[in-house]
């Protein structure tokens, strides 16, 4: 009897152990299944920020507070095309890995929540703080659909919301809007900074084909001070930014006015531009004929900078939306639409009496770096394959060439179905280029398959290219960030080959390095 009971007990334990084992395996399977599906759909970027699902456009409210980089963004949670705008929200300790947070701002009776910025009101000038910590103030455009439908011309106005819990929850100010619309149809995208010299808040926002500047002692009462635009410009301006910068290695201070332009960008459609000038607390004084491009690619729009980056850090950090209104709502992704560019550090430089911004990926991105292979200096003639034995198309390429007397340098990425994308430099044109004409799917737009160029007519002895590839995007930072190009593309099969093409030409590769990058999701 005892033996029977023992046998029964032994069998039961074994069975349970088997059950237990099975369920552990199940869990592991489920987990790995989940891990395999999560952020692994076709074309899903692996180290760029993208929403878990649905539509995203401009980055909004970028502010650093208590060790967190906040990224709010234009978000429509109910569809993969643009719709009633909310502010989505994510935070990061380093701008590389992101934690998704609940939606921060929902549309309300005053309208949809369009683009804008956020600041920390350190001295509680607004009086909206709770006395324990300085409030985070979001400044955004309310877009009133009814007003738009009724063709009122006053349906966009600036409003604020405040948070006393590190951006986790926001309360809309009950006196909204704080900047009423005087009758300008396009009147949006406020970016606010604290101006120490005048001890005032400065707001810059887009008003059709120019920007308007306001100031305020408290983020609530705003006074109009000036406008800046290009007389006769009939392009729509959006998402401006205004900030001071020291000119590379000197004490000279200039002000940069960023503005995104909604049509006729250098390579078509929408892109981010800038002017360099001065700011006296009321006026931006700059040459409006000297408009420059922050990124020559087609896919960097609404790029603006983070507020409140500590002085001890001192960087001007920026992020853009990696798409173009020409086709953003039609790109062939299913669950979500759009990603952000890589976060970039901007610096200002003076060459031959003119000022230029350079942008480079933030140094924190080195966290993603895995194994690398270096290619030592050699003369190439023909097609030279670079090591690319990696399952994923996640790479950082660093390539330095002697500038050849003629021809071009081309880096070609391709897959097994003969789709390819080239990044390179053309000597005769003095231009960098990205050619996505045969890069993959393009039937969703008439303008997508094309050859894009970026100006590199400045003097440079070498052709230095740093290229990041992430499944469906390529970012070129040439000549230490002087010429930048960001393009997206949609291969029908993942790319798996990298070649340097130097046909009928001797090209001297000074050094080359290919680094595999990891995923953040
Ligand atoms: C720029 C933009 C902004 C506007 C937002 C609406 O991409 O058109 O001007 O605030 O998108 O989503």
């Amino acid at each position: 009897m005892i033996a029977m009971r023992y046998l029964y007990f032994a069998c039961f334990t074994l069975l349970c152990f088997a059950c237990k084992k099975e369920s552990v395996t199940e869990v592991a399977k489920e987990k790995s299944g989940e891990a395999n599906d999560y952020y692994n759909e076709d074309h899903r970027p692996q180290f760029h920020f993208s929403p878990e699902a649905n539509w995203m456009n401009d980055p909004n409210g970028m502010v650093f507070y208590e060790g967190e980089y906040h990224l709010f963004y234009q978000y429509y949670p109910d569809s993969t095309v643009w719709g009633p705008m909310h502010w989505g929200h994510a935070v990061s300790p380093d701008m590389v890995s992101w934690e998704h947070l609940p939606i921060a701002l929902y549309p309300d009776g005053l309208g949809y929540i369009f683009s804008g910025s956020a600041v920390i009101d350190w001295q509680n000038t607004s009086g909206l703080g709770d006395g324990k910590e300085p409030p985070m103030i979001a400044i955004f455009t309310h877009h009133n659909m009814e007003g738009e439908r009724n063709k009122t011309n006053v349906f966009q106005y600036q409003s604020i919301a405040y948070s006393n819990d590190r951006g986790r929850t926001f309360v809309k100010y009950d006196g909204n809007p704080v900047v009423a619309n005087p009758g300008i149809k396009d009147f949006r995208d406020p970016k606010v900074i604290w101006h120490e010299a005048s001890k005032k808040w400065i707001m810059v926002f887009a008003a059709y084909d120019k920007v308007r500047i306001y100031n305020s002692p408290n983020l609530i009462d705003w006074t109009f001070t000036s406008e800046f635009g290009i007389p006769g410009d009939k392009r729509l301006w959006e998402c401006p930014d205004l900030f001071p910068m020291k000119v590379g290695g000197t004490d000279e201070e200039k002000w940069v006015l960023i503005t995104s332009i909604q049509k006729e960008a250098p390579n078509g459609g929408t892109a981010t531009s800038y002017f360099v000038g001065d700011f006296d607390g009321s006026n931006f004084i700059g040459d409006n004929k000297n408009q420059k491009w922050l990124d020559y690619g087609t896919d960097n729009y609404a790029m603006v900078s983070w507020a409140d980056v500590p002085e001890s850090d001192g960087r001007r950090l920026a992020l853009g939306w990696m798409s173009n209104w020409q086709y953003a709502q039609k790109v062939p992704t299913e669950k979500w639409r759009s990603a952000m560019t890589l976060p970039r550090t901007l610096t200002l430089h003076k060459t031959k009496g003119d000022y230029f911004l350079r942008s480079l990926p933030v140094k924190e991105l080195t966290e993603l770096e895995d194994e690398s292979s270096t290619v030592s200096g050699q003369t190439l003639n023909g097609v030279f394959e670079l090591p690319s034995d990696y399952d994923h198309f996640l790479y950082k390429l660093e390539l330095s060439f002697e500038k050849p007397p003629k021809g071009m340098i081309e880096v070609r990425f391709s897959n097994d179905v003969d789709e390819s994308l080239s990044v390179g430099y053309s000597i005769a044109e003095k231009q960098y280029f990205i050619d996505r004409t045969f890069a993959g799917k393009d039937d969703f737009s008439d303008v997508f398959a094309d050859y894009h160029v970026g100006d590199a007519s400045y003097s440079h002895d070498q052709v230095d290219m740093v290229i990041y590839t992430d499944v469906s995007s390529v970012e070129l930072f040439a000549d230490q960030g002087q010429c930048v190009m960001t393009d997206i593309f949609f291969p029908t099969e993942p790319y798996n080959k990298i070649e340097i093409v130097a046909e009928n030409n001797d090209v001297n590769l000074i050094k080359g390095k290919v680094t595999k990058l990891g995923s953040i999701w």
Side-chain angles (χ1 to χ4, degrees):
M1 190 66 194
I2 293 174
M4 278 293 284
R5 274 173 69 185
Y6 182 71
L7 193 70
Y8 175 79
F9 179 69
C11 284
F12 181 71
T13 321
L14 256 174
L15 213 85
C16 278
F17 185 62
C19 282
K20 212 165 169 194
K21 254 187 109 176
E22 204 172 86
S23 68
V24 169
T25 326
E26 286 286 330
V27 170
K29 259 193 208 155
E30 249 172 57
K31 272 201 171 155
S32 72
E34 255 172 43
N36 282 342
D37 294 345
Y38 190 66
Y39 274 81
N40 239 340
E41 307 89 344
D42 284 350
H43 310 307
R44 179 70 101 163
Q46 294 300 304
F47 55 85
H48 286 77
F49 180 83
S50 60
E52 280 181 327
N54 294 314
W55 170 264
M56 175 181 82
N57 56 291
D58 318 350
N60 294 152
M62 297 192 314
V63 63
F64 179 83
Y65 185 55
E66 302 227 318
E68 291 178 325
Y69 290 91
H70 289 261
L71 170 62
F72 300 90
Y73 51 90
Q74 286 289 277
Y75 187 47
Y76 182 37
D78 297 328
S79 172
T80 49
V81 291
W82 191 90
M85 283 290 113
H86 300 54
W87 273 24
H89 190 195
V91 287
S92 168
D94 51 14
M95 298 169 284
V96 179
S97 58
W98 293 97
E99 180 193 343
H100 294 292
L101 292 179
I103 289 174
L105 294 172
Y106 284 81
D108 57 41
L110 288 177
Y112 298 171
I113 313 297
F114 270 25
S115 285
S117 52
V119 290
I120 304 304
D121 183 9
W122 293 103
Q123 296 160 45
N124 197 17
T125 59
S126 61
L128 297 171
D130 60 3
K132 294 193 209 112
E133 56 173 319
M136 180 185 289
I137 312 282
I139 309 101
F140 56 90
T141 299
H142 260 126
H143 175 97
N144 191 298
M145 278 313 283
E146 213 179 300
E148 183 182 12
R149 272 194 295 271
N150 297 338
K151 303 204 181 336
T152 61
N153 267 5
V154 291
F155 54 85
Q156 294 187 339
Y157 26 78
Q158 321 319 333
S159 292
I160 62 175
Y162 55 96
S163 165
N164 282 306
D165 57 1
R166 297 162 45 245
R168 278 9 187 215
T169 55
F170 279 87
V171 178
K172 300 209 182 93
Y173 174 59
D174 58 14
N176 278 339
V178 292
V179 179
N181 188 320
I184 303 172
K185 188 165 150 279
D186 295 290
F187 194 76
R188 58 175 178 269
D189 309 338
K191 177 82 164 89
V192 170
I193 53 164
W194 173 252
H195 185 238
E196 187 53 34
S198 60
K199 301 244 175 305
K200 287 212 167 103
W201 296 100
I202 307 294
M203 180 193 289
V204 58
F205 61 85
Y208 184 40
D209 56 355
K210 46 179 86 69
V211 297
R212 280 167 82 90
I213 298 174
Y214 287 63
N215 68 26
S216 167
N218 57 9
L219 293 160
I220 293 170
D221 304 300
W222 292 95
T223 308
F224 170 68
T225 62
S226 67
E227 290 182 336
F228 178 84
I230 306 175
D233 195 6
K234 287 286 161 264
R235 300 166 306 169
L236 184 63
W237 291 25
E238 297 183 311
C239 300
D241 194 358
L242 178 68
F243 49 83
M245 288 197 97
K246 288 277 191 283
V247 181
T250 74
D251 268 345
E252 185 186 4
E253 184 180 88
K254 298 298 281 181
W255 282 73
V256 175
L257 174 69
I258 289 184
T259 175
S260 280
I261 302 288
Q262 249 236 18
K263 64 174 183 186
E264 296 162 21
N267 288 295
T270 56
T272 309
S273 79
Y274 67 96
F275 299 87
V276 181
D278 296 298
F279 180 65
D280 62 6
S282 304
N283 305 281
F284 175 77
I285 306 131
D287 178 0
N288 54 18
K289 291 181 287 306
N290 199 355
Q291 184 173 30
K292 300 191 165 79
W293 299 94
L294 204 47
D295 191 315
Y296 281 94
T298 41
D299 299 295
N300 180 354
Y301 196 60
M303 181 170 248
V304 287
S305 70
W306 257 284
D308 289 295
V309 175
E311 257 171 52
S312 55
D313 179 312
R315 286 176 299 171
R316 181 57 59 176
L317 302 165
L319 190 76
W321 172 45
M322 196 157 61
S323 198
N324 189 310
W325 279 114
Q326 285 185 310
Y327 43 73
Q329 303 191 74
K330 295 186 267 172
V331 296
T333 60
E334 273 175 21
K335 189 175 167 193
W336 89 102
R337 275 227 175 83
S338 306
M340 296 300 179
T341 66
L342 285 180
R344 299 170 188 185
T345 304
L346 307 182
T347 51
L348 186 63
H349 304 266
K350 189 174 184 180
T351 328
K352 295 188 185 144
D354 202 3
Y355 299 90
F356 295 88
L357 281 180
R358 287 187 199 165
S359 31
L360 286 172
V362 298
K363 60 176 191 292
E364 285 84 344
L365 288 161
T366 50
E367 287 164 33
L368 297 170
E369 294 183 10
D370 197 347
E371 289 162 44
S372 64
S373 6
T374 49
V375 190
S376 53
Q378 51 191 288
T379 301
L380 312 174
N381 192 329
V383 178
F384 179 81
E385 193 167 335
L386 288 172
S388 55
D389 58 335
Y390 190 29
D391 288 345
H392 311 284
F393 189 56
L394 314 179
Y395 288 106
K396 174 186 179 185
L397 269 67
E398 296 159 276
L399 302 168
S400 291
F401 299 93
E402 258 174 46
K403 210 162 147 187
K406 63 177 174 64
M408 60 185 202
I409 295 167
E410 181 185 346
V411 183
R412 186 165 65 199
F413 305 101
S414 56
N415 60 16
D416 296 338
V417 292
D418 270 349
E419 292 165 343
S420 68
L421 174 135
S422 293
V423 178
Y425 180 74
S426 150
I427 308 297
E429 316 293 339
K430 296 197 171 98
Q431 282 171 339
Y432 282 94
F433 64 84
I434 297 180
D435 188 357
R436 68 175 179 197
T437 313
F438 303 107
K441 301 173 194 164
D442 55 24
D443 57 358
F444 53 91
S445 155
D446 290 346
V447 296
F448 190 81
D450 211 351
Y451 178 88
H452 303 141
V453 296
D455 177 57
S457 53
Y458 49 82
S459 82
H460 54 133
D461 304 328
Q462 285 181 196
V463 172
D464 279 323
M465 300 196 273
V466 175
I467 301 171
Y468 282 80
T469 64
D470 183 2
V471 183
S472 55
S473 68
V474 62
E475 280 155 288
L476 165 69
F477 301 91
D479 305 326
Q480 293 75 49
Q482 289 202 46
C483 177
V484 176
M485 299 185 76
T486 304
D487 270 19
I488 53 173
F489 56 96
F490 301 94
T492 50
E493 303 227 332
Y495 281 3
N496 54 8
K497 197 183 222 182
I498 311 175
E499 294 158 314
I500 299 176
V501 185
E503 257 154 346
N504 310 316
N505 202 9
D506 277 349
V507 166
N508 287 331
L509 176 69
I510 301 165
K511 57 181 191 302
K513 188 172 175 193
V514 181
T515 307
K516 299 177 186 177
L517 302 175
S519 173
I520 59 170
W521 304 111

